[in-house]
Amino acid sequence: MELKEMFQRYYENSLIHKAAGTCDYERSKMNRILKLLNELSLYDSGQIDKNVLNRIISALKLKCSNKTINKLVLILKQSFRFNEIDFEYLQQFSKLREGKRRFNIIEHDELKAIMNHVVKLDSSIGNNLLYQVMVMLMLETGIRANELINIEIKNIDIERHCILLTTTKTKKERFIFFTSLSEYFITLMLNHGPVRKQLLFNSLKCREALACDLKYLIDKLKKELDISMLHAHMFRHTFATLSYNNGMDIFILKELLGHENIATTQIYTHITQNKLQAAYSKTFGSINQGIDTESLGITKQN
């Protein structure tokens, strides 16, 4: 079977069973691996054997991290399996070792700067009001980018300060909640400007907002506030970390974030524990500095 046809059939099946964001993600990975295969003069699934697969991995290592390679190989595996193409070596191929997963959060000072900047924007100018609602909801709910741009007006309950999300990564509906600050901007948005039909964010230059519009907004914030690192998912990580640090039950946090597995939510507890240990070591390291511990046979720890 031609590789292009193989990927296309898998993608068409994904469109039926998976969320739009997941399909877009898989499509980008398919295009990337297909481009590499074509560069290696590989156009048919029958051309790929054990030696060829190892050659593909070697070529990818020159351009990608092990984490990215694992994702690309996974798409290849799933496409072969879906099309019932037998390739035992590929299906048994072990993941390459990845570095520890890092979660970056927005630091306290940067978070304050973002909030102050957004609140002070003139809501009557351009798309400022739309940006204000987007940023406040990301900060207050930990919502995913694709879930944000697909919020339906009919699912917003202003009085109860909640929104029902129907387009989610897991395809399971869930509620998110917001404060009176977000309520102010959402109400302003619904009562002013162009008439909105279905989606809350459907008035950006007379069209629906897209993920690239959200990226543009965040890049703009990053530049204006001179923040070294900022992307949409950092708002989600920050929301989760702050919620847990302030005593939110981890099972409640799991539901708010829309995680299928509690283990995913527990990643944020590990971040907190690492920070606690680092703070502890810094404090007691300075207290013990200058004390002759070697005579006691105690080895200093960093």
Side-chain angles (χ1 to χ4, degrees), residues 2 20 31 37 42 53 59 71 78 86 96-97 106 146-147 149 168 171 181 189 194 230 232-233 239 264 268 289:
E2 286 190 4
N31 289 338
L37 292 171
L42 300 170
L53 180 62
K71 290 179 179 179
Q78 291 171 335
D86 186 34
L96 301 178
R97 186 173 181 178
I106 305 169
N146 191 59
E147 295 169 344
I149 61 178
T168 67
K171 289 198 169 183
L181 186 57
M189 189 172 176
L230 189 66
H233 225 60
F239 167 81
T264 307
Y268 297 105
Q289 194 171 10

Side-chain angles (χ1 to χ4, degrees), residues 167-182:
T167 302
T168 67
K169 182 179 179 180
T170 60
K171 289 198 169 183
K172 293 180 181 177
E173 295 183 353
R174 78 174 190 277
F175 282 99
I176 56 172
F177 302 88
F178 53 86
T179 70
S180 55
L181 186 57
S182 284

Side-chain angles (χ1 to χ4, degrees), residues 74-91:
L74 178 61
I75 287 293
L76 195 61
K77 277 185 180 183
Q78 291 171 335
S79 299
F80 266 77
R81 189 183 301 127
F82 173 77
N83 287 281
E84 298 181 345
I85 301 171
D86 186 34
F87 187 8
E88 188 176 350
Y89 181 75
L90 173 61
Q91 299 305 330

Side-chain angles (χ1 to χ4, degrees), residues 3-12 22-40 42-43 56 60 63-64 68 71-76 79:
L3 292 169
K4 188 174 181 180
E5 180 188 352
M6 179 187 76
F7 284 125
Q8 183 62 31
R9 289 183 61 185
Y10 175 76
Y11 175 69
E12 288 173 357
T22 303
C23 293
D24 291 342
Y25 167 81
E26 288 188 341
R27 185 68 165 182
S28 68
K29 297 302 177 189
M30 287 179 204
N31 289 338
R32 189 168 181 179
I33 190 72
L34 184 60
K35 182 181 178 182
L36 174 67
L37 292 171
N38 291 166
E39 287 173 355
L40 296 172
L42 300 170
Y43 303 97
I56 293 168
L60 285 170
K63 305 177 181 179
C64 312
T68 300
K71 290 179 179 179
L72 294 173
V73 172
L74 178 61
I75 287 293
L76 195 61
S79 299

Side-chain angles (χ1 to χ4, degrees), residues 93-224:
F93 186 83
S94 300
K95 289 175 65 175
L96 301 178
R97 186 173 181 178
E98 300 176 6
K100 285 188 176 180
R101 191 175 182 184
R102 289 186 60 199
F103 287 101
N104 295 303
I105 66 169
I106 305 169
E107 296 299 329
H108 179 77
D109 291 344
E110 293 176 339
L111 194 60
K112 282 289 186 183
I114 291 171
M115 292 186 72
N116 286 327
H117 175 78
V118 170
V119 169
K120 290 176 182 177
L121 289 174
D122 187 340
S123 303
S124 64
I125 297 177
N127 292 310
N128 281 354
L129 182 55
L130 181 140
Y131 291 157
Q132 286 170 318
V133 176
M134 280 185 164
V135 172
M136 293 312 302
L137 285 178
M138 285 193 295
L139 284 171
E140 293 188 353
T141 69
I143 192 171
R144 297 182 179 96
N146 191 59
E147 295 169 344
L148 176 71
I149 61 178
N150 282 289
I151 290 176
E152 295 185 53
I153 295 172
K154 66 179 182 180
N155 293 329
I156 301 173
D157 189 331
I158 293 293
E159 290 185 5
R160 296 183 180 179
H161 286 193
C162 67
I163 301 171
L164 174 65
L165 300 180
T166 54
T167 302
T168 67
K169 182 179 179 180
T170 60
K171 289 198 169 183
K172 293 180 181 177
E173 295 183 353
R174 78 174 190 277
F175 282 99
I176 56 172
F177 302 88
F178 53 86
T179 70
S180 55
L181 186 57
S182 284
E183 177 198 353
Y184 170 81
F185 289 115
I186 293 172
T187 303
L188 201 62
M189 189 172 176
L190 292 174
N191 294 337
H192 295 79
V195 176
R196 290 168 174 80
K197 296 179 181 178
Q198 180 182 359
L199 300 179
L200 179 62
F201 301 110
N202 70 348
S203 61
L204 187 62
K205 295 180 181 177
C206 300
R207 63 169 172 79
E208 295 177 2
L210 304 172
C212 59
D213 298 312
L214 184 58
K215 184 179 185 304
Y216 170 80
L217 159 65
I218 294 172
D219 286 344
K220 187 178 177 184
L221 275 175
K222 181 180 173 182
K223 184 177 180 180
E224 290 177 347

Side-chain angles (χ1 to χ4, degrees), residues 244 263 265-275:
Y244 183 77
T265 317
Q266 286 174 329
I267 291 170
Y268 297 105
T269 70
H270 298 159
I271 293 173
T272 302
Q273 288 164 2
N274 288 339
K275 286 200 169 186

